[in-house]
Amino acid sequence: MSILWIKALHVFFMIAWMAGIFYLPRLFVYHAQATNKEMHAQFVVMERRLWFFITPFAVLTLVFGVWTIYLYGGEWFKASGWMHVKLLLVSLFYAYHIYLYVLLKRFAAGENKHSSKFYRFLNEAPVLALLAIVVLAIVKPF
């Protein structure tokens, strides 16, 4: 498989993952505002389905990203300082993904401890990290 196909699949799965990872906390915003048991039950189902739908995209993003790095080689990797920063930010996204699962489980158990404002912040703040990742990958500033 051509490296361009591998990079294209990496970007595709990353976009699919990010779409879901930005929507899940938005569901948490609405779930935190839910006032009855039927709404709570519906949000629990929606959140669980979305998390399990996007998790394979996260895994495939990682697989195609590592494959791309492997194909470029160790010397390229050592010389690409921007990639090290990008990987640090990407690792934070994987931690964020896992944290969303923890929150999902708390909602499902009826143990939510946060307000809708918290979830709004949780939804919007990672956009800056994604911007930094895109800039690092395209501009390669160092």
Side-chain angles (χ1 to χ4, degrees):
M1 184 179 291
S2 159
I3 194 166
L4 294 178
W5 277 104
I6 294 165
K7 287 169 69 173
L9 289 170
H10 171 67
V11 170
F12 169 77
F13 288 121
M14 184 273 304
I15 291 168
W17 177 36
M18 288 299 115
I21 211 168
F22 289 139
Y23 186 57
L24 185 55
R26 180 55 51 185
L27 287 177
F28 291 163
V29 169
Y30 302 135
H31 194 163
Q33 297 171 340
T35 56
N36 62 52
K37 289 183 181 185
E38 292 81 20
M39 289 175 68
H40 169 76
Q42 183 63 41
F43 279 117
V44 166
V45 170
M46 292 170 63
E47 292 157 359
R48 186 182 70 244
R49 286 182 179 171
L50 180 59
W51 195 87
F52 282 104
F53 179 73
I54 65 172
T55 297
F57 297 144
V59 171
L60 289 167
T61 299
L62 181 63
V63 167
F64 285 102
V66 169
W67 193 357
T68 301
I69 292 169
Y70 172 78
L71 290 175
Y72 274 108
E75 291 304 315
W76 171 86
F77 182 71
K78 288 178 194 173
S80 300
W82 63 270
M83 178 58 82
H84 300 158
V85 176
K86 178 189 170 205
L87 291 175
L88 173 67
L89 293 171
V90 167
S91 67
L92 293 175
F93 264 105
Y94 282 95
Y96 178 73
H97 185 95
I98 292 165
Y99 181 60
L100 292 179
Y101 182 72
V102 169
L103 294 173
L104 179 147
K105 296 303 269 182
R106 287 183 186 161
F107 265 118
E111 299 171 357
N112 174 44
K113 297 176 183 163
H114 302 291
S115 70
S116 62
K117 281 187 177 185
F118 171 83
Y119 294 112
R120 276 193 179 85
F121 175 78
L122 194 68
N123 178 231
E124 295 164 1
V127 171
L128 298 175
L130 180 59
L131 173 63
I133 288 169
V134 169
V135 168
L136 287 165
I138 301 299
V139 177
K140 298 172 180 56
F142 49 91

